[in-house]
Amino acid sequence: MTDSDKPTNFIEQIIGDDLSSGKTSKLVTRFPPEPNGYLHIGHAKSICVNFGLAESFAGECNLRFDDTNPEKESDEYVQSIIEDVKWLGFNWNGEIRYASDYFGQLYQWACDLIDQNKAYVCELNADEMREYRGTLTEAGKESPFRNRPATESRALLEQMKAGEIAEGSMTLRAKIDMASPNINMRDPVLYRIKRIAHHRTGDKWNIYPAYDFAHGQEDAIEGVTHSICTLEFAANRPLYNWFIENLDVPSTPSQYEFGRLNINYSITSKRKLKQLVDEGHVEAWDDPRMPTISGLRRRGVSPQAIRNFCDSLAVAKTDGVVDMAQFEHFIRDDLNNNARRAMCVLKPLLVTFTNYDQSELFTASSHPQRDDLGSRELHFDRQIYIDQSDFSEDTTLSRKKFKRLVLGEYVRLRGAYIIRADEVIRDADGEIQEIKASVIENTVGADAPEGIRPRGVIHWVSALNSVDCTINLYDRLFNQALPDAGEGSFTDHINPDSLKVIEGCKAEVSLANIKPSERYQFEREGYFCRDSKAENLVFNCTIGLRDNWKA
RNA sequence: UGGGGCGUGGCCAAGUGGUUAAGGCAUCGGGUUUUGAUCCCGACACUCGGAGGUUCGAAUCCUCCCGCCCCAGCCA
């Protein structure tokens, strides 16, 4: 699908109009995360929207950290976000921006507002402020400090800034309208005292600007023309505009909101993802089960798959829940097109050939449809492993129902011989230990001879030339489509079997030294990549192959 | 409840008064295949939250009703 096939969404229409009317000469957007956690798939949509818009309208997109609350933020988060945006393949305009770089200007604007009599230092505490704010149906009451002289507010704000005032005892508030039907307009807090070090400004500041007082002005400073955020900020827009109108800002940005991404069986809330990490439900932010960018990366999902998925999503004002299957489709689609093929046996069953005692090297293509991906060598010896699930003694199984190896029958070994299972060897407990089998001569790369009908094709690996590995199989992290819905906590719906570790798997030797960034399809099993943290050979299952047959 | 926003197939959606109501995912049939994958064909909304109304003509305009989401942090 090309861009021209895609209908334009409402934001593209607005931008198009603004560009053609001359209201906007060059589009500037921004992706403005708060560095208080790792980025997740929901952010990926926002990133794709903002950077994508800039790309398609020949504009620019800034990367800006909205670091106005030092309590929750850290440099670790800053670094992870930078890495994730880069990994997704986007290039931001110029240097990375930080709200904290604008603290001085923001403070100046706060003083200007006081001088205009549009802001005041308020001494109501949090509880009192809540009471004065009123409710959804009742107007609020004006603060007793609302009409204090500007000079007094200026002096008090200076003291707050200097660290002379206790946390929680004073705030700087805008003087707007305590009876506004929009609660955000009822004298919102502009500055609050936090005598805490900031990860970038250290202890320079004792007061920090609130989101509403910062965001629009940051956009204005950077010349952002279209400030695109998610729906929950819609009620903040009048306030955003109020600051733009009442302050001497260098440009006039406009805010537009679209529906954030929700995916079933998953969670797209930084706060909740942090909880999963903090409470040890997952290993870390980059646990392969996490919907974080870093988790998806470690899981083996490609940046292109994430981008294709995000591009398939609507930019609209509806807030729906996208089916995980839609994401999985794009993961598989990209991997199918680009992942090299290899073989790995998860549950090895030894097969010994009684009529073969050589060692051969076969060449197998790395991809059935892409010659450019080259080929690899396959060791074939007198002993191989097949998967336990690919063998059955039940000769009554129909050919349609079981396309694998059955005692006394034939099967094709992928890229190698057709073989016949002749005998089952059991251990003392009666468990199948080994299969004695025969190789059918001259069947490599050749059609089955007359009278021999293999039931199907199975994967295998040489028992003499293979590498041991461990495989992590994942299931969805939550066993409920909407972990957030209903009573109780989302953590009540964590799937206890989301990780299955399989030891003693056997992989073809070409897999011994691959890098985590190389993604493979293990034929007939799924897509895998090497884990980036494990020292041994560990593969994470990104996603299984589609499975259309009904057992 | 005051304000803001949203309701089109199982899911995501296009649709901007005249189209046989796009497309993708999922699902179900069938074909190809040395991966039960891929690929290819085909099926899948007389109807757009509901009820009225305007109009030659309505998913699109009007009225009323119903449902869902967001806002009462010194979070973002």
Side-chain angles (χ1 to χ4, degrees), chain A residues 461-490:
Chain A
V461 88
S462 165
L464 279 39
N465 287 287
S466 61
V467 290
D468 287 300
C469 61
T470 297
I471 282 186
N472 293 142
L473 293 180
Y474 303 103
D475 197 354
R476 44 177 59 128
L477 230 198
F478 296 95
N479 48 29
Q480 205 162 88
L482 304 173
D484 275 324
E487 317 276 278
S489 163
F490 72 100

PDB file of all heavy atoms in Angstrom, chain A residues 461-490:
ATOM      1  N   VAL A 461      17.616 -32.040  12.834  1.00  0.00           N
ATOM      2  CA  VAL A 461      18.955 -31.496  12.987  1.00  0.00           C
ATOM      3  C   VAL A 461      19.897 -32.674  13.244  1.00  0.00           C
ATOM      4  O   VAL A 461      19.488 -33.676  13.831  1.00  0.00           O
ATOM      5  CB  VAL A 461      18.957 -30.444  14.129  1.00  0.00           C
ATOM      6  CG1 VAL A 461      19.211 -31.069  15.466  1.00  0.00           C
ATOM      7  CG2 VAL A 461      19.897 -29.320  13.836  1.00  0.00           C
ATOM      8  N   SER A 462      21.110 -32.609  12.729  1.00  0.00           N
ATOM      9  CA  SER A 462      22.060 -33.704  12.934  1.00  0.00           C
ATOM     10  C   SER A 462      22.366 -33.887  14.413  1.00  0.00           C
ATOM     11  O   SER A 462      22.589 -32.908  15.130  1.00  0.00           O
ATOM     12  CB  SER A 462      23.364 -33.410  12.185  1.00  0.00           C
ATOM     13  OG  SER A 462      24.382 -34.276  12.668  1.00  0.00           O
ATOM     14  N   ALA A 463      22.380 -35.118  14.879  1.00  0.00           N
ATOM     15  CA  ALA A 463      22.700 -35.362  16.286  1.00  0.00           C
ATOM     16  C   ALA A 463      24.194 -35.217  16.536  1.00  0.00           C
ATOM     17  O   ALA A 463      24.622 -34.938  17.644  1.00  0.00           O
ATOM     18  CB  ALA A 463      22.218 -36.752  16.696  1.00  0.00           C
ATOM     19  N   LEU A 464      24.942 -35.369  15.485  1.00  0.00           N
ATOM     20  CA  LEU A 464      26.397 -35.320  15.639  1.00  0.00           C
ATOM     21  C   LEU A 464      26.956 -33.923  15.411  1.00  0.00           C
ATOM     22  O   LEU A 464      28.030 -33.585  15.902  1.00  0.00           O
ATOM     23  CB  LEU A 464      27.055 -36.303  14.645  1.00  0.00           C
ATOM     24  CG  LEU A 464      27.122 -37.786  15.009  1.00  0.00           C
ATOM     25  CD1 LEU A 464      25.867 -38.291  15.697  1.00  0.00           C
ATOM     26  CD2 LEU A 464      27.401 -38.617  13.767  1.00  0.00           C
ATOM     27  N   ASN A 465      26.237 -33.128  14.671  1.00  0.00           N
ATOM     28  CA  ASN A 465      26.686 -31.765  14.372  1.00  0.00           C
ATOM     29  C   ASN A 465      25.552 -30.767  14.643  1.00  0.00           C
ATOM     30  O   ASN A 465      24.854 -30.340  13.723  1.00  0.00           O
ATOM     31  CB  ASN A 465      27.110 -31.655  12.913  1.00  0.00           C
ATOM     32  CG  ASN A 465      28.432 -32.360  12.655  1.00  0.00           C
ATOM     33  OD1 ASN A 465      29.497 -31.887  13.052  1.00  0.00           O
ATOM     34  ND2 ASN A 465      28.353 -33.520  12.036  1.00  0.00           N
ATOM     35  N   SER A 466      25.379 -30.463  15.888  1.00  0.00           N
ATOM     36  CA  SER A 466      24.342 -29.495  16.252  1.00  0.00           C
ATOM     37  C   SER A 466      24.797 -28.780  17.518  1.00  0.00           C
ATOM     38  O   SER A 466      25.789 -29.164  18.127  1.00  0.00           O
ATOM     39  CB  SER A 466      23.011 -30.204  16.499  1.00  0.00           C
ATOM     40  OG  SER A 466      23.134 -31.130  17.567  1.00  0.00           O
ATOM     41  N   VAL A 467      24.087 -27.755  17.892  1.00  0.00           N
ATOM     42  CA  VAL A 467      24.432 -27.035  19.125  1.00  0.00           C
ATOM     43  C   VAL A 467      23.243 -27.084  20.085  1.00  0.00           C
ATOM     44  O   VAL A 467      22.088 -27.041  19.666  1.00  0.00           O
ATOM     45  CB  VAL A 467      24.824 -25.568  18.856  1.00  0.00           C
ATOM     46  CG1 VAL A 467      26.159 -25.503  18.147  1.00  0.00           C
ATOM     47  CG2 VAL A 467      23.762 -24.844  18.043  1.00  0.00           C
ATOM     48  N   ASP A 468      23.584 -27.188  21.363  1.00  0.00           N
ATOM     49  CA  ASP A 468      22.538 -27.173  22.380  1.00  0.00           C
ATOM     50  C   ASP A 468      22.099 -25.747  22.624  1.00  0.00           C
ATOM     51  O   ASP A 468      22.909 -24.826  22.597  1.00  0.00           O
ATOM     52  CB  ASP A 468      23.072 -27.757  23.698  1.00  0.00           C
ATOM     53  CG  ASP A 468      23.226 -29.257  23.602  1.00  0.00           C
ATOM     54  OD1 ASP A 468      22.202 -29.924  23.358  1.00  0.00           O
ATOM     55  OD2 ASP A 468      24.366 -29.760  23.737  1.00  0.00           O
ATOM     56  N   CYS A 469      20.830 -25.594  22.900  1.00  0.00           N
ATOM     57  CA  CYS A 469      20.356 -24.256  23.213  1.00  0.00           C
ATOM     58  C   CYS A 469      19.128 -24.322  24.105  1.00  0.00           C
ATOM     59  O   CYS A 469      18.559 -25.395  24.325  1.00  0.00           O
ATOM     60  CB  CYS A 469      20.048 -23.476  21.933  1.00  0.00           C
ATOM     61  SG  CYS A 469      18.765 -24.211  20.915  1.00  0.00           S
ATOM     62  N   THR A 470      18.776 -23.179  24.610  1.00  0.00           N
ATOM     63  CA  THR A 470      17.584 -23.061  25.447  1.00  0.00           C
ATOM     64  C   THR A 470      16.609 -22.165  24.702  1.00  0.00           C
ATOM     65  O   THR A 470      17.021 -21.213  24.037  1.00  0.00           O
ATOM     66  CB  THR A 470      17.963 -22.421  26.797  1.00  0.00           C
ATOM     67  OG1 THR A 470      18.874 -23.286  27.457  1.00  0.00           O
ATOM     68  CG2 THR A 470      16.730 -22.200  27.670  1.00  0.00           C
ATOM     69  N   ILE A 471      15.358 -22.493  24.825  1.00  0.00           N
ATOM     70  CA  ILE A 471      14.356 -21.686  24.133  1.00  0.00           C
ATOM     71  C   ILE A 471      13.307 -21.168  25.105  1.00  0.00           C
ATOM     72  O   ILE A 471      12.816 -21.899  25.968  1.00  0.00           O
ATOM     73  CB  ILE A 471      13.721 -22.499  22.985  1.00  0.00           C
ATOM     74  CG1 ILE A 471      14.703 -22.503  21.804  1.00  0.00           C
ATOM     75  CG2 ILE A 471      12.366 -21.916  22.587  1.00  0.00           C
ATOM     76  CD1 ILE A 471      14.194 -23.128  20.559  1.00  0.00           C
ATOM     77  N   ASN A 472      13.026 -19.885  24.988  1.00  0.00           N
ATOM     78  CA  ASN A 472      11.969 -19.260  25.788  1.00  0.00           C
ATOM     79  C   ASN A 472      10.721 -19.114  24.926  1.00  0.00           C
ATOM     80  O   ASN A 472      10.743 -18.454  23.904  1.00  0.00           O
ATOM     81  CB  ASN A 472      12.392 -17.856  26.245  1.00  0.00           C
ATOM     82  CG  ASN A 472      13.538 -17.897  27.240  1.00  0.00           C
ATOM     83  OD1 ASN A 472      14.433 -17.055  27.206  1.00  0.00           O
ATOM     84  ND2 ASN A 472      13.526 -18.890  28.115  1.00  0.00           N
ATOM     85  N   LEU A 473       9.674 -19.758  25.376  1.00  0.00           N
ATOM     86  CA  LEU A 473       8.398 -19.626  24.678  1.00  0.00           C
ATOM     87  C   LEU A 473       7.512 -18.704  25.499  1.00  0.00           C
ATOM     88  O   LEU A 473       7.458 -18.813  26.728  1.00  0.00           O
ATOM     89  CB  LEU A 473       7.712 -20.992  24.531  1.00  0.00           C
ATOM     90  CG  LEU A 473       8.387 -22.020  23.629  1.00  0.00           C
ATOM     91  CD1 LEU A 473       7.559 -23.305  23.610  1.00  0.00           C
ATOM     92  CD2 LEU A 473       8.566 -21.487  22.225  1.00  0.00           C
ATOM     93  N   TYR A 474       6.836 -17.806  24.823  1.00  0.00           N
ATOM     94  CA  TYR A 474       6.002 -16.850  25.544  1.00  0.00           C
ATOM     95  C   TYR A 474       4.525 -16.996  25.199  1.00  0.00           C
ATOM     96  O   TYR A 474       4.164 -17.325  24.074  1.00  0.00           O
ATOM     97  CB  TYR A 474       6.446 -15.419  25.208  1.00  0.00           C
ATOM     98  CG  TYR A 474       7.902 -15.186  25.519  1.00  0.00           C
ATOM     99  CD1 TYR A 474       8.847 -15.171  24.515  1.00  0.00           C
ATOM    100  CD2 TYR A 474       8.311 -15.026  26.842  1.00  0.00           C
ATOM    101  CE1 TYR A 474      10.189 -14.978  24.806  1.00  0.00           C
ATOM    102  CE2 TYR A 474       9.644 -14.834  27.138  1.00  0.00           C
ATOM    103  CZ  TYR A 474      10.592 -14.812  26.118  1.00  0.00           C
ATOM    104  OH  TYR A 474      11.908 -14.624  26.412  1.00  0.00           O
ATOM    105  N   ASP A 475       3.752 -16.713  26.180  1.00  0.00           N
ATOM    106  CA  ASP A 475       2.316 -16.623  25.971  1.00  0.00           C
ATOM    107  C   ASP A 475       1.937 -15.211  26.397  1.00  0.00           C
ATOM    108  O   ASP A 475       2.741 -14.504  27.003  1.00  0.00           O
ATOM    109  CB  ASP A 475       1.601 -17.683  26.821  1.00  0.00           C
ATOM    110  CG  ASP A 475       0.165 -17.915  26.334  1.00  0.00           C
ATOM    111  OD1 ASP A 475      -0.290 -17.193  25.434  1.00  0.00           O
ATOM    112  OD2 ASP A 475      -0.478 -18.827  26.877  1.00  0.00           O
ATOM    113  N   ARG A 476       0.710 -14.811  26.131  1.00  0.00           N
ATOM    114  CA  ARG A 476       0.317 -13.455  26.490  1.00  0.00           C
ATOM    115  C   ARG A 476       0.479 -13.221  27.992  1.00  0.00           C
ATOM    116  O   ARG A 476       0.317 -14.126  28.803  1.00  0.00           O
ATOM    117  CB  ARG A 476      -1.112 -13.167  26.052  1.00  0.00           C
ATOM    118  CG  ARG A 476      -2.085 -14.285  26.357  1.00  0.00           C
ATOM    119  CD  ARG A 476      -3.490 -13.904  25.977  1.00  0.00           C
ATOM    120  NE  ARG A 476      -3.636 -13.586  24.563  1.00  0.00           N
ATOM    121  CZ  ARG A 476      -4.543 -14.133  23.750  1.00  0.00           C
ATOM    122  NH1 ARG A 476      -5.384 -15.024  24.226  1.00  0.00           N
ATOM    123  NH2 ARG A 476      -4.614 -13.778  22.490  1.00  0.00           N
ATOM    124  N   LEU A 477       0.844 -11.989  28.327  1.00  0.00           N
ATOM    125  CA  LEU A 477       1.112 -11.641  29.730  1.00  0.00           C
ATOM    126  C   LEU A 477      -0.146 -11.645  30.583  1.00  0.00           C
ATOM    127  O   LEU A 477      -0.104 -11.872  31.779  1.00  0.00           O
ATOM    128  CB  LEU A 477       1.749 -10.243  29.793  1.00  0.00           C
ATOM    129  CG  LEU A 477       3.013 -10.041  30.598  1.00  0.00           C
ATOM    130  CD1 LEU A 477       3.223  -8.564  30.907  1.00  0.00           C
ATOM    131  CD2 LEU A 477       3.056 -10.846  31.897  1.00  0.00           C
ATOM    132  N   PHE A 478      -1.278 -11.379  29.947  1.00  0.00           N
ATOM    133  CA  PHE A 478      -2.539 -11.352  30.694  1.00  0.00           C
ATOM    134  C   PHE A 478      -3.508 -12.366  30.108  1.00  0.00           C
ATOM    135  O   PHE A 478      -3.529 -12.584  28.902  1.00  0.00           O
ATOM    136  CB  PHE A 478      -3.165  -9.955  30.640  1.00  0.00           C
ATOM    137  CG  PHE A 478      -2.317  -8.913  31.305  1.00  0.00           C
ATOM    138  CD1 PHE A 478      -1.436  -8.148  30.569  1.00  0.00           C
ATOM    139  CD2 PHE A 478      -2.370  -8.737  32.679  1.00  0.00           C
ATOM    140  CE1 PHE A 478      -0.619  -7.209  31.184  1.00  0.00           C
ATOM    141  CE2 PHE A 478      -1.560  -7.801  33.309  1.00  0.00           C
ATOM    142  CZ  PHE A 478      -0.678  -7.031  32.560  1.00  0.00           C
ATOM    143  N   ASN A 479      -4.280 -12.971  30.978  1.00  0.00           N
ATOM    144  CA  ASN A 479      -5.224 -13.960  30.482  1.00  0.00           C
ATOM    145  C   ASN A 479      -6.627 -13.387  30.329  1.00  0.00           C
ATOM    146  O   ASN A 479      -7.591 -14.116  30.182  1.00  0.00           O
ATOM    147  CB  ASN A 479      -5.228 -15.194  31.376  1.00  0.00           C
ATOM    148  CG  ASN A 479      -5.337 -14.831  32.844  1.00  0.00           C
ATOM    149  OD1 ASN A 479      -5.926 -13.805  33.171  1.00  0.00           O
ATOM    150  ND2 ASN A 479      -4.781 -15.634  33.715  1.00  0.00           N
ATOM    151  N   GLN A 480      -6.714 -12.074  30.360  1.00  0.00           N
ATOM    152  CA  GLN A 480      -8.006 -11.443  30.150  1.00  0.00           C
ATOM    153  C   GLN A 480      -7.840 -10.344  29.088  1.00  0.00           C
ATOM    154  O   GLN A 480      -6.868  -9.602  29.112  1.00  0.00           O
ATOM    155  CB  GLN A 480      -8.486 -10.832  31.457  1.00  0.00           C
ATOM    156  CG  GLN A 480      -9.987 -10.696  31.533  1.00  0.00           C
ATOM    157  CD  GLN A 480     -10.461 -10.496  32.966  1.00  0.00           C
ATOM    158  OE1 GLN A 480     -10.531  -9.376  33.440  1.00  0.00           O
ATOM    159  NE2 GLN A 480     -10.755 -11.584  33.654  1.00  0.00           N
ATOM    160  N   ALA A 481      -8.810 -10.281  28.184  1.00  0.00           N
ATOM    161  CA  ALA A 481      -8.689  -9.345  27.064  1.00  0.00           C
ATOM    162  C   ALA A 481      -8.492  -7.910  27.538  1.00  0.00           C
ATOM    163  O   ALA A 481      -7.706  -7.169  26.980  1.00  0.00           O
ATOM    164  CB  ALA A 481      -9.917  -9.443  26.163  1.00  0.00           C
ATOM    165  N   LEU A 482      -9.217  -7.531  28.578  1.00  0.00           N
ATOM    166  CA  LEU A 482      -9.094  -6.175  29.099  1.00  0.00           C
ATOM    167  C   LEU A 482      -8.658  -6.258  30.560  1.00  0.00           C
ATOM    168  O   LEU A 482      -9.494  -6.216  31.457  1.00  0.00           O
ATOM    169  CB  LEU A 482     -10.438  -5.435  28.979  1.00  0.00           C
ATOM    170  CG  LEU A 482     -11.041  -5.373  27.568  1.00  0.00           C
ATOM    171  CD1 LEU A 482     -12.442  -4.772  27.600  1.00  0.00           C
ATOM    172  CD2 LEU A 482     -10.139  -4.571  26.636  1.00  0.00           C
ATOM    173  N   PRO A 483      -7.356  -6.362  30.786  1.00  0.00           N
ATOM    174  CA  PRO A 483      -6.849  -6.557  32.156  1.00  0.00           C
ATOM    175  C   PRO A 483      -7.302  -5.454  33.108  1.00  0.00           C
ATOM    176  O   PRO A 483      -7.375  -5.665  34.317  1.00  0.00           O
ATOM    177  CB  PRO A 483      -5.327  -6.530  31.983  1.00  0.00           C
ATOM    178  CG  PRO A 483      -5.075  -6.746  30.537  1.00  0.00           C
ATOM    179  CD  PRO A 483      -6.273  -6.227  29.815  1.00  0.00           C
ATOM    180  N   ASP A 484      -7.620  -4.297  32.541  1.00  0.00           N
ATOM    181  CA  ASP A 484      -8.000  -3.152  33.361  1.00  0.00           C
ATOM    182  C   ASP A 484      -9.470  -3.126  33.740  1.00  0.00           C
ATOM    183  O   ASP A 484      -9.865  -2.431  34.657  1.00  0.00           O
ATOM    184  CB  ASP A 484      -7.706  -1.860  32.591  1.00  0.00           C
ATOM    185  CG  ASP A 484      -6.280  -1.448  32.793  1.00  0.00           C
ATOM    186  OD1 ASP A 484      -5.771  -1.652  33.908  1.00  0.00           O
ATOM    187  OD2 ASP A 484      -5.680  -0.936  31.842  1.00  0.00           O
ATOM    188  N   ALA A 485     -10.257  -3.851  32.978  1.00  0.00           N
ATOM    189  CA  ALA A 485     -11.704  -3.756  33.181  1.00  0.00           C
ATOM    190  C   ALA A 485     -12.158  -4.496  34.434  1.00  0.00           C
ATOM    191  O   ALA A 485     -11.481  -5.367  34.948  1.00  0.00           O
ATOM    192  CB  ALA A 485     -12.423  -4.302  31.952  1.00  0.00           C
ATOM    193  N   GLY A 486     -13.303  -4.133  34.894  1.00  0.00           N
ATOM    194  CA  GLY A 486     -13.910  -4.837  36.019  1.00  0.00           C
ATOM    195  C   GLY A 486     -13.275  -4.527  37.356  1.00  0.00           C
ATOM    196  O   GLY A 486     -12.492  -3.588  37.502  1.00  0.00           O
ATOM    197  N   GLU A 487     -13.644  -5.347  38.321  1.00  0.00           N
ATOM    198  CA  GLU A 487     -13.168  -5.148  39.680  1.00  0.00           C
ATOM    199  C   GLU A 487     -11.712  -5.584  39.794  1.00  0.00           C
ATOM    200  O   GLU A 487     -11.211  -6.320  38.971  1.00  0.00           O
ATOM    201  CB  GLU A 487     -13.991  -6.014  40.647  1.00  0.00           C
ATOM    202  CG  GLU A 487     -15.480  -6.018  40.392  1.00  0.00           C
ATOM    203  CD  GLU A 487     -16.185  -4.842  41.037  1.00  0.00           C
ATOM    204  OE1 GLU A 487     -16.473  -4.931  42.241  1.00  0.00           O
ATOM    205  OE2 GLU A 487     -16.408  -3.831  40.333  1.00  0.00           O
ATOM    206  N   GLY A 488     -11.092  -5.156  40.846  1.00  0.00           N
ATOM    207  CA  GLY A 488      -9.761  -5.640  41.158  1.00  0.00           C
ATOM    208  C   GLY A 488      -8.658  -5.002  40.324  1.00  0.00           C
ATOM    209  O   GLY A 488      -8.901  -4.117  39.515  1.00  0.00           O
ATOM    210  N   SER A 489      -7.457  -5.502  40.557  1.00  0.00           N
ATOM    211  CA  SER A 489      -6.286  -4.944  39.907  1.00  0.00           C
ATOM    212  C   SER A 489      -5.939  -5.703  38.639  1.00  0.00           C
ATOM    213  O   SER A 489      -6.221  -6.904  38.515  1.00  0.00           O
ATOM    214  CB  SER A 489      -5.113  -5.016  40.880  1.00  0.00           C
ATOM    215  OG  SER A 489      -3.895  -4.860  40.186  1.00  0.00           O
ATOM    216  N   PHE A 490      -5.319  -5.013  37.715  1.00  0.00           N
ATOM    217  CA  PHE A 490      -4.887  -5.679  36.484  1.00  0.00           C
ATOM    218  C   PHE A 490      -3.887  -6.798  36.784  1.00  0.00           C
ATOM    219  O   PHE A 490      -3.774  -7.747  36.019  1.00  0.00           O
ATOM    220  CB  PHE A 490      -4.284  -4.653  35.513  1.00  0.00           C
ATOM    221  CG  PHE A 490      -2.940  -4.135  35.932  1.00  0.00           C
ATOM    222  CD1 PHE A 490      -1.782  -4.643  35.361  1.00  0.00           C
ATOM    223  CD2 PHE A 490      -2.822  -3.136  36.886  1.00  0.00           C
ATOM    224  CE1 PHE A 490      -0.532  -4.186  35.742  1.00  0.00           C
ATOM    225  CE2 PHE A 490      -1.574  -2.659  37.270  1.00  0.00           C
ATOM    226  CZ  PHE A 490      -0.434  -3.187  36.699  1.00  0.00           C
TER     227      PHE A 490
END
